[in-house]
Amino acid sequence: MKKIRNKLHYFDFYLFIPYIVLCGIGVVMVYSASSISLSYVGSATNTYMIKQLLYVFLGLICFTTAYMYRLQKFMSRNFIIYGFIVIALLLLYAKFLTDPINGANGWIDLKIFSLQPAELCKLYLVFFVAQLLSRREQLTSTALAEKRSKKPWLLVATLLLLVLIEPDLGGFSINLMIVVVMWFAQGINYRQRLLTLTGSLLGVGIAVQLLRFWNPLKGTSYAYMYNRLVAFYDPFKVASTSGQQLINSYYAISNGGLFGLGLGNSIQKRGYLPEAHTDFILAVISEELGVVGVTFVLILLTWLVLRIYLIGVRSRNTYDTLVCYGIGTFIGVETLFNVGAVNGLLPITGVTLPFVSYGGSSMVVLSLALGVIMNISINQRRTLEKQRSAIGRGITA
């Protein structure tokens, strides 16, 4: 009990309040976006809302567990080894022993919710890469560091490959960005890493443009992925097929204007906009609450990401700093991909809006991640208070 009171004394409400507000907005908007479509098929209109409330409750349990847990256990050899085995087996099971959903074998039905191993992989990679890079920094010999650091990166590449072959391009891209940002943030060979990152981004940009004229997936079961890219280039050219979702998202954003049509009054959610309560919930928010509502949601998400990065910058522990950068990137890139897809600035990859879109795996993993950040923040605040007390005693003496 004393430990709990001690933790609450240093509780970071600048993290917790945006998290809870976003979850609340998510529950309301999931109900608004899904109730009409559920009524069309004769189901209870509050089905998804009740499930989302359950996911938020599970998320709060995970959040509380993570911020009460000893962070040192995430650095243990057993956690890294067994964590890799579990994540790899879950990804393999999802790929080969489950039925595809929207073309991808990425979900395992747990009855309460569908587990998405790629989501767990994001958080695991944060811990794994943070441990790799922080231990590398501790080695005095650069040659020894290079020798010891190569083999574990093969495990990282294995997990990324398993996510890619599901196929889950969105999950793969987010996992890859987490690894890249953490690797870049370590600061060793800074100039070389900047050149590598710039070259990679330039290469991706050129590849995306070249794919306008060449379809490498033609005739395969993954052809739908290229169709999404075609819809990104010109959705009105394929308005009746792969461009339908993006076009209806445009209509929703246009209908909403500055202040929206009012909560519950969306037109596009009435059978026109697919995945209205998941991937495209931001389009429904835009239509019902307008630019003002969307801006409020994005400010909360931006605040969370910046707060996480700030906690990382303040940390004097390399491992904690890298974990903060990894989780901040996780939430930030996921938000960027979702917003970009809804607005047509990025291809549609099936990435949800953090804490707002319907989904159990996303809510549980994001809540765990935020609980870890809360843990780091609490430890920082406790250490800072002890230092100030020691300085105060020194001045008094």
Side-chain angles (χ1 to χ4, degrees):
M1 197 67 184
K2 183 180 178 181
K3 182 182 178 183
I4 295 174
R5 285 200 303 267
N6 187 264
K7 287 271 189 179
L8 289 174
H9 178 69
Y10 301 103
F11 201 75
D12 190 344
F13 287 98
Y14 292 110
L15 267 179
F16 186 70
I17 291 175
Y19 161 59
I20 285 297
V21 172
L22 283 167
C23 289
I25 292 171
V27 170
V28 173
M29 293 311 304
V30 163
Y31 176 70
S32 178
S34 64
S35 57
I36 291 292
S37 58
L38 286 170
S39 69
Y40 290 162
V41 295
S43 299
T45 56
N46 61 354
T47 300
Y48 287 137
M49 183 193 73
I50 291 173
K51 287 185 177 181
Q52 187 70 0
L53 278 170
L54 174 62
Y55 300 154
V56 171
F57 179 69
L58 289 173
L60 284 169
I61 293 174
C62 291
F63 175 88
T64 304
T65 303
Y67 94 74
M68 296 295 293
Y69 201 70
R70 287 184 60 198
L71 286 175
Q72 289 79 2
K73 292 186 178 181
F74 291 123
M75 299 180 67
S76 69
R77 183 181 179 84
N78 286 339
F79 175 80
I80 296 300
I81 293 173
Y82 292 124
F84 174 81
I85 294 170
V86 169
I87 298 294
L89 288 175
L90 287 173
L91 287 167
L92 287 169
Y93 182 89
K95 172 61 183 175
F96 297 108
L97 298 174
T98 62
D99 297 323
I101 299 175
N102 295 330
N105 297 82
W107 290 266
I108 301 172
D109 187 8
L110 299 180
K111 304 304 179 183
I112 298 176
F113 65 90
S114 294
L115 177 66
Q116 196 172 2
E119 291 292 320
L120 287 174
C121 187
K122 294 170 189 175
L123 188 55
Y124 172 76
L125 280 179
V126 169
F127 295 131
F128 189 9
V129 174
Q131 191 208 45
L132 284 180
L133 296 176
S134 60
R135 287 196 174 184
R136 185 178 188 275
E137 189 180 71
Q138 294 168 6
L139 295 173
T140 54
S141 168
T142 305
L144 182 62
E146 291 293 340
K147 184 178 179 181
R148 288 189 179 181
S149 65
K150 288 179 180 178
K151 289 183 179 179
W153 288 105
L154 292 176
L155 300 181
V156 173
T158 299
L159 290 179
L160 291 173
L161 180 62
L162 288 175
V163 174
L164 182 62
I165 65 172
E166 285 188 342
D168 183 358
L169 187 58
F172 168 77
S173 302
I174 294 170
N175 277 290
L176 180 62
M177 285 300 297
I178 289 169
V179 173
V180 169
V181 169
M182 293 176 71
W183 172 77
F184 190 82
Q186 194 203 14
I188 300 173
N189 297 325
Y190 181 82
R191 184 177 178 184
Q192 179 184 348
R193 295 185 180 205
L194 181 61
L195 289 172
T196 303
L197 181 62
T198 304
S200 299
L201 292 174
L202 185 62
V204 170
I206 293 172
V208 168
Q209 294 305 315
L210 289 176
L211 286 172
R212 283 177 177 267
F213 313 103
W214 174 55
N215 181 4
L217 302 176
K218 188 175 182 179
T220 70
S221 58
Y222 303 129
Y224 74 93
M225 296 176 70
Y226 186 79
N227 292 336
R228 287 182 176 181
L229 199 60
V230 173
F232 164 66
Y233 293 136
D234 187 358
F236 292 96
K237 189 177 181 179
V238 284
S240 60
T241 54
S242 57
Q244 179 188 8
Q245 194 170 26
L246 183 55
I247 290 172
N248 281 291
S249 178
Y250 287 158
Y251 290 154
I253 294 169
S254 176
N255 290 341
L258 187 60
F259 298 105
L261 301 177
L263 188 62
N265 294 329
S266 168
I267 298 169
Q268 297 306 310
K269 70 182 181 183
R270 300 171 186 270
Y272 300 105
L273 180 64
E275 311 296 342
H277 61 297
T278 55
D279 304 355
F280 277 73
I281 197 166
L282 191 66
V284 177
I285 294 174
S286 179
E287 188 172 15
E288 295 189 348
L289 305 180
V291 173
V292 173
V294 171
T295 302
F296 181 67
V297 170
L298 295 183
I299 285 174
L300 289 174
L301 285 165
T302 303
W303 174 276
L304 262 184
V305 172
L306 293 178
R307 182 69 185 173
I308 292 168
Y309 281 135
L310 180 61
I311 292 168
V313 170
R314 287 176 174 172
S315 177
R316 297 183 180 180
N317 180 295
T318 303
Y319 177 82
D320 289 353
T321 296
L322 290 170
V323 166
C324 289
Y325 289 165
I327 291 174
T329 302
F330 172 10
I331 298 173
V333 173
E334 200 162 277
T335 301
L336 181 67
F337 277 18
N338 181 270
V339 174
V342 168
N343 287 280
L345 299 176
L346 292 172
I348 297 171
T349 53
V351 175
T352 56
L353 189 64
F355 306 109
V356 180
S357 291
Y358 173 81
S361 286
S362 178
M363 181 63 72
V364 166
V365 173
L366 286 167
S367 297
L368 276 171
L370 214 57
V372 170
I373 299 298
M374 180 65 77
N375 200 327
I376 294 172
S377 179
I378 286 171
N379 291 336
Q380 274 185 19
R381 290 177 167 218
R382 184 190 295 118
T383 302
L384 182 60
E385 186 171 294
K386 287 180 179 178
Q387 289 174 349
R388 286 174 177 171
S389 298
I391 293 171
R393 286 195 299 269
I395 293 173
T396 304

